[in-house]
Amino acid sequence: MKVVALVSGGKDSCYVMMKCIQYGHEIVALANLLPVDDSVDELDSYMYQTVGHQIIVSYAECMNVPLFRRRIRGSSRHQKLSYQMTPEDEVEDMFVLLSEVKRQIPSITAVSSGAIASDYQRLRVESICSRLGLVSLAFLWKQDQTLLLQEMIANGIKAILVKVAAIGLDPSKHLGKDLAFMEPHLLKLKELYGSNVCGEGGEYETLTLDCPLFTNARIVLDEFEVKLHSPDSIAPVGVLHPTIFHLEKKGNADSNSVEEEPGLVFEVQGDGPNTTESTCQLDNGIVDVVEHTRTKVNLSKTGKDNTFSICCWLEDSRESSTGLKEDLETVLTEIETQILKHGLNWQNVLYIHLYISDMNEFAVANETYVKFITQEKCPFGVPSRSTIELPLVQAGLGKAYVEVLVANDHSKRVLHVQSISSWAPSCIGPYSQATLHKGVLHMAGQLGLDPPTMNLRNEGAVAELNQALTNSEAIAESFRCSISSSAILFVVFCSARTQQSERNQLHEKFVSFLDLAKSSRRVPNVLDPIFLYILVPDLPKRALVEMKPVLYVEEDTETDDETRKDEPSEEDYSCLGYKPEKWHQDCAQKRVVDGKVCVTILSISAEVMRKLHEPSGEEEQQLERVSRFCVYLLNKTLSENSFSWQDTTSLRIHFSTSLGVSLKRLSDMFETTFKELNEMSDGVTFNGLKEPIFNLVPVLGAGNSSASLDNIITCELFSLRS
């Protein structure tokens, strides 16, 4: 990509340019924001480093790259973590600056910044990039600061300290000192006081005088003044004010000092473009949906009051020949209507399962999706998402199928990093890496993407899984947990293109990765996760594997996962023509955590179906028995662990298309069984719900092991008590 680099003069903004080039990008312009008054060294800014701005003008000559500069007119008006467009905020100066760069150099598609740990700065750069249709590159994000500092120095960043503001740093001693010279002292301060060795806590700021990108010349600082801003005896604050400097040519040219080339420097003035109209158009959503599809809409909804799932799919649409775009518009409009009926909106959505009939139309699905779910509509954070191709048409459904998890409060905590970095895959658009709500961390579907390049690992399914696990661990660490100790459920989608020999290795690789992570962390409470593997036609980017972890990260509690075993009970759980038998427990996996979360996976294989078989029964009667057995066993699992159906947040019933039964017929069977169960409790069990509480999901296969995906029916039940 062609990149405009945000430069403050500091080591970070220069080193991230070097990383951009390392990953194959091209720096075609520089952008810098500076004070209105040249004599002012530092502004009261939460966003910008301006100390040493007098020298930045020379970067254009040093790199032979155009430099665009704008004087900062705004101030820090919008101080909440997530940024929204705010008139006269200093962030709007960046918008005007980058807008002009993009106007003059239309080929630019990305912006680099030196963010390492500041969510405040990263989110604002991402906000501007989103508004301008640019990609944010932040290759230093979440990197280990000690290693990063060593790397910068080893790779030729020649920078000096131009501001100090921390215990152990003295303006009179340390301003003007080279970063390499200061490294041992900075490491010592980290040991003594926990200081950030890269200065991410505001301990110090730097000015780069030379680096490998300065191919034309280096900067020589001849004279400077030390200005003391605060004479505090413990942590005095001081800045370096450059007074005289010159450029020294590199290469075969003589070493005479040179003047910067004025033709490479552009000052950006004015107020920039007005984007209000385009933003409003984006937020208006979809207009009227074609009415002829209305009769084909099907819904399901779980019964929990404060956290529930809504699913929407279409019956066979082959007669009307509608496309994915029309089907998805219909489904999303219906879901939006249902959410509004509960007095909620898209900002209440925690997670979205987006199922489509053809992954080749992923771009169409995404374009339609972003018309409904936008960052403007979700001020508390956009939902996390997984996107899967399912055999929808083969199952007699339309081309789009959506499930949303909704909460009636705003207590969710969302991690949404849109910048491309070395940390974890970016989520460019209105879908986030993970959402934490009521102690449950719902992670977006993770592919085996190499974060800095956003390319799939090309060594096969096992390599993809390993990368997806690494990415998931990086995301989990942002919530101070680990997939090795906090995961309660791993759902792994395997593409039908995956070779059987590779599938056989996946689970073994999964377990070894988790075991290694557990041994390195040595945490006292380790949950034992459930594994569910699902075979599907295709995945985004033609991936072979997509992983969806669910974690329990409630703080300051002790888990009792292993204390809830199947203990003898006097209660009779017999119903629907079944009574407890010892072999039933082989069909169900469950995890109960803190008495708050209950996850149950119920697997019905051909062998189980034979055990339920009546010699004189027809195939349809066999399926009816299977549906009754599933509901009986799920009901028993909930009851014996003190949960009720009212605690259910989602119930997916994955069924193999090899069954050869229509979704409508299978749905009728389960619905009849649930109605019978409800009648047994005089209507208390489901308390007058109009829609089914389950959603049927057509798949190619499923199982508890990647080597054996031959389940006929697999029930995935998630219950949350609060």
Side-chain angles (χ1 to χ4, degrees):
M1 288 187 285
K2 294 186 183 297
V3 180
V4 52
L6 290 171
V7 290
S8 64
K11 64 187 187 324
D12 305 335
S13 61
C14 287
Y15 191 59
V16 78
M17 286 194 287
M18 294 174 62
K19 300 297 285 187
C20 287
I21 292 171
Q22 177 186 329
Y23 289 118
H25 306 296
E26 180 186 0
I27 307 297
V28 297
L30 308 176
N32 169 250
L33 291 125
L34 70 158
V36 172
D37 187 345
D38 283 333
S39 66
V40 173
D41 291 292
E42 185 176 38
L43 297 177
D44 183 18
S45 170
Y46 293 171
M47 188 65 193
Y48 307 117
Q49 172 190 325
T50 56
V51 180
H53 66 84
Q54 298 88 347
I55 287 179
I56 305 302
V57 68
S58 301
Y59 278 29
E61 172 67 19
C62 291
M63 292 180 64
N64 194 32
V65 171
L67 169 67
F68 294 80
R69 308 190 84 187
R70 177 176 171 83
R71 298 186 183 274
I72 303 168
R73 302 177 182 178
S75 58
S76 303
R77 290 179 175 269
H78 191 289
Q79 297 180 8
K80 293 181 179 179
L81 184 59
S82 294
Y83 181 75
Q84 293 181 343
M85 184 172 62
T86 304
E88 299 183 19
D89 190 281
E90 60 184 352
V91 176
E92 297 306 312
D93 287 299
M94 185 197 302
F95 176 78
V96 175
L97 174 63
L98 293 179
S99 296
E100 179 61 19
V101 177
K102 187 179 178 183
R103 188 188 70 80
Q104 292 201 33
I105 311 177
S107 61
I108 283 175
T109 55
V111 176
S112 73
S113 66
I116 298 176
S118 172
D119 282 307
Y120 185 92
Q121 293 174 350
R122 173 186 62 79
L123 287 167
R124 279 151 176 75
V125 174
E126 290 177 354
S127 174
I128 296 303
C129 286
S130 178
R131 287 162 60 185
L132 291 173
L134 299 171
V135 176
S136 170
L137 303 178
F139 292 116
L140 311 187
W141 180 251
K142 291 288 186 182
Q143 298 302 290
D144 180 278
Q145 292 188 41
T146 299
L147 297 177
L148 190 57
L149 181 64
Q150 295 170 355
E151 196 179 307
M152 289 180 185
I153 294 169
N155 283 284
I157 293 287
K158 307 294 183 184
I160 60 172
L161 270 63
V162 292
K163 179 184 177 181
V164 295
I167 187 170
L169 292 175
D170 187 334
S172 62
K173 293 181 181 178
H174 299 129
L175 287 176
K177 293 294 187 293
D178 184 76
L179 191 62
F181 173 81
M182 290 296 299
E183 182 187 13
H185 187 64
L186 295 172
L187 293 173
K188 183 179 179 181
L189 295 182
K190 178 190 174 184
E191 292 180 10
L192 291 174
Y193 310 114
S195 302
N196 293 278
V197 295
C198 281
E200 282 300 289
E203 292 88 348
Y204 69 93
E205 292 178 2
T206 60
L207 179 65
T208 301
L209 301 178
D210 193 13
C211 73
L213 299 179
F214 290 9
T215 54
N216 279 4
R218 63 178 58 86
I219 300 168
V220 178
L221 182 60
D222 300 305
E223 295 181 16
F224 64 85
E225 299 173 357
V226 172
K227 294 186 176 182
L228 197 62
H229 285 189
S230 169
D232 187 274
S233 59
I234 298 176
V237 179
V239 299
L240 179 153
H241 177 76
T243 54
I244 302 175
F245 66 93
H246 71 275
L247 299 184
E248 191 175 86
K249 278 194 173 181
K250 288 185 176 181
N252 298 325
D254 61 35
S255 58
N256 293 333
S257 61
V258 296
E259 297 295 329
E260 62 271 3
E261 216 174 297
L264 287 173
V265 181
F266 305 88
E267 181 150 347
V268 177
Q269 300 179 345
D271 296 327
N274 186 341
T275 61
T276 305
E277 290 184 8
S278 60
T279 303
C280 291
Q281 289 174 356
L282 186 67
D283 282 349
N284 283 339
I286 301 298
V287 292
D288 297 333
V289 173
V290 181
E291 285 300 321
H292 74 266
T293 62
R294 179 66 61 181
T295 57
K296 298 178 295 187
V297 172
N298 290 263
L299 289 169
S300 69
K301 178 187 173 297
T302 53
K304 191 168 178 62
D305 291 333
N306 54 11
T307 310
F308 53 89
S309 293
I310 299 176
C311 302
C312 184
W313 65 95
L314 304 177
E315 289 180 26
D316 192 342
S317 61
R318 282 175 288 187
E319 292 182 5
S320 56
S321 300
T322 56
L324 173 62
K325 178 178 180 292
E326 292 78 9
D327 282 4
L328 186 53
E329 286 179 354
T330 301
V331 167
L332 288 172
T333 299
E334 184 61 33
I335 284 183
E336 187 171 63
T337 300
Q338 295 299 319
I339 295 173
L340 290 171
K341 283 182 180 179
H342 289 82
L344 308 173
N345 51 46
W346 288 111
Q347 68 183 347
N348 296 96
V349 175
L350 308 175
Y351 201 96
I352 297 179
H353 289 85
L354 175 60
Y355 303 129
I356 59 177
S357 62
D358 186 354
M359 198 54 72
N360 291 322
E361 294 191 89
F362 177 82
V364 174
N366 228 26
E367 288 170 7
T368 306
Y369 179 93
V370 301
K371 292 177 182 177
F372 285 85
I373 298 97
T374 66
Q375 295 181 63
E376 290 75 19
K377 291 180 181 178
C378 303
F380 303 103
V382 290
S384 303
R385 188 183 87 178
S386 61
T387 305
I388 309 293
E389 179 181 322
L390 293 181
L392 298 177
V393 177
Q394 296 92 311
L397 303 181
K399 296 175 182 176
Y401 183 141
V402 175
E403 175 188 342
V404 298
L405 181 63
V406 186
N408 68 352
D409 60 39
H410 297 148
S411 64
K412 67 179 181 181
R413 178 183 159 202
V414 174
L415 176 65
H416 185 203
V417 178
Q418 299 189 72
S419 299
I420 295 177
S421 69
S422 298
W423 162 72
S426 64
C427 287
I428 303 173
Y431 25 85
S432 59
Q433 280 88 356
T435 301
L436 177 65
H437 182 256
K438 295 187 182 298
V440 179
L441 182 63
H442 305 272
M443 203 175 290
Q446 296 299 309
L447 303 178
L449 294 170
D450 175 47
T453 63
M454 291 297 288
N455 292 328
L456 278 172
R457 293 286 298 271
N458 58 10
E459 301 95 334
V462 174
E464 283 188 27
L465 176 65
N466 187 68
Q467 185 65 60
L469 286 164
T470 302
N471 296 341
S472 299
E473 182 67 1
I475 293 169
E477 287 175 355
S478 297
F479 292 88
R480 298 183 180 179
C481 63
S482 168
I483 60 171
S484 66
S485 56
S486 299
I488 50 181
L489 174 66
F490 288 107
V491 179
V492 184
F493 297 97
C494 300
S495 167
R497 295 183 301 103
T498 310
Q499 298 294 323
Q500 183 64 50
S501 58
E502 287 187 295
R503 276 190 234 149
N504 294 341
Q505 303 173 49
L506 288 177
H507 189 68
E508 182 181 344
K509 177 63 181 178
F510 210 134
V511 173
S512 63
F513 183 99
L514 296 180
D515 287 344
L516 181 63
K518 287 176 187 175
S519 63
S520 63
R521 289 180 64 88
R522 297 179 181 177
V523 292
N525 296 317
V526 177
L527 301 178
D528 184 17
I530 298 175
F531 296 89
L532 173 59
Y533 293 86
I534 300 176
L535 187 64
V536 297
D538 205 356
L539 295 167
K541 293 182 176 286
R542 306 288 286 170
L544 299 175
V545 176
E546 179 173 335
M547 186 180 68
K548 186 184 67 171
V550 181
L551 284 66
Y552 182 76
V553 294
E554 190 77 16
E555 297 179 354
D556 302 324
T557 59
E558 294 184 2
T559 63
D560 61 349
D561 178 71
E562 297 305 314
T563 65
R564 289 184 173 268
K565 299 292 186 180
D566 291 324
E567 300 173 357
S569 172
E570 298 298 324
E571 188 171 347
D572 182 12
Y573 297 111
S574 301
C575 70
L576 300 172
Y578 291 97
K579 60 182 180 179
E581 294 186 40
K582 190 172 182 180
W583 67 270
H584 291 177
Q585 65 186 19
D586 297 332
C587 301
Q589 300 178 84
K590 76 167 189 295
R591 293 294 178 269
V592 180
V593 187
D594 279 352
K596 296 179 180 179
V597 176
C598 179
V599 181
T600 305
I601 302 296
L602 180 60
S603 302
I604 306 298
S605 63
E607 181 183 353
V608 172
M609 196 167 178
R610 282 193 294 270
K611 289 182 179 180
L612 300 172
H613 175 59
E614 288 184 348
S616 61
E618 299 292 332
E619 183 176 350
E620 189 158 311
Q621 290 177 322
Q622 292 180 37
L623 285 174
E624 287 176 355
R625 288 186 61 80
V626 168
S627 68
R628 295 172 69 84
F629 179 71
C630 290
V631 176
Y632 149 73
L633 207 50
L634 292 172
N635 185 67
K636 176 179 179 291
T637 302
L638 288 173
S639 298
E640 65 188 6
N641 290 284
S642 303
F643 282 79
S644 74
W645 286 102
Q646 296 293 333
D647 297 318
T648 301
T649 61
S650 64
L651 172 55
R652 296 179 200 99
I653 302 177
H654 308 276
F655 71 98
S656 172
T657 50
S658 64
L659 269 176
V661 63
S662 71
L663 183 143
K664 179 69 168 63
R665 185 69 193 103
L666 197 57
S667 179
D668 288 343
M669 293 178 190
F670 274 95
E671 194 165 353
T672 298
T673 304
F674 275 112
K675 284 180 179 177
E676 185 176 338
L677 181 66
N678 194 42
E679 289 170 0
M680 291 168 56
S681 65
D682 296 325
V684 173
T685 301
F686 301 109
N687 197 23
L689 282 176
K690 296 180 181 179
E691 294 87 12
I693 70 162
F694 61 89
N695 58 300
L696 288 163
V697 183
V699 297
L700 300 181
N704 301 328
S705 168
S706 57
S708 178
L709 302 174
D710 55 4
N711 283 357
I712 294 170
I713 289 179
T714 307
C715 300
E716 180 189 348
L717 175 67
F718 198 98
S719 301
L720 180 65
R721 190 164 54 204
S722 56

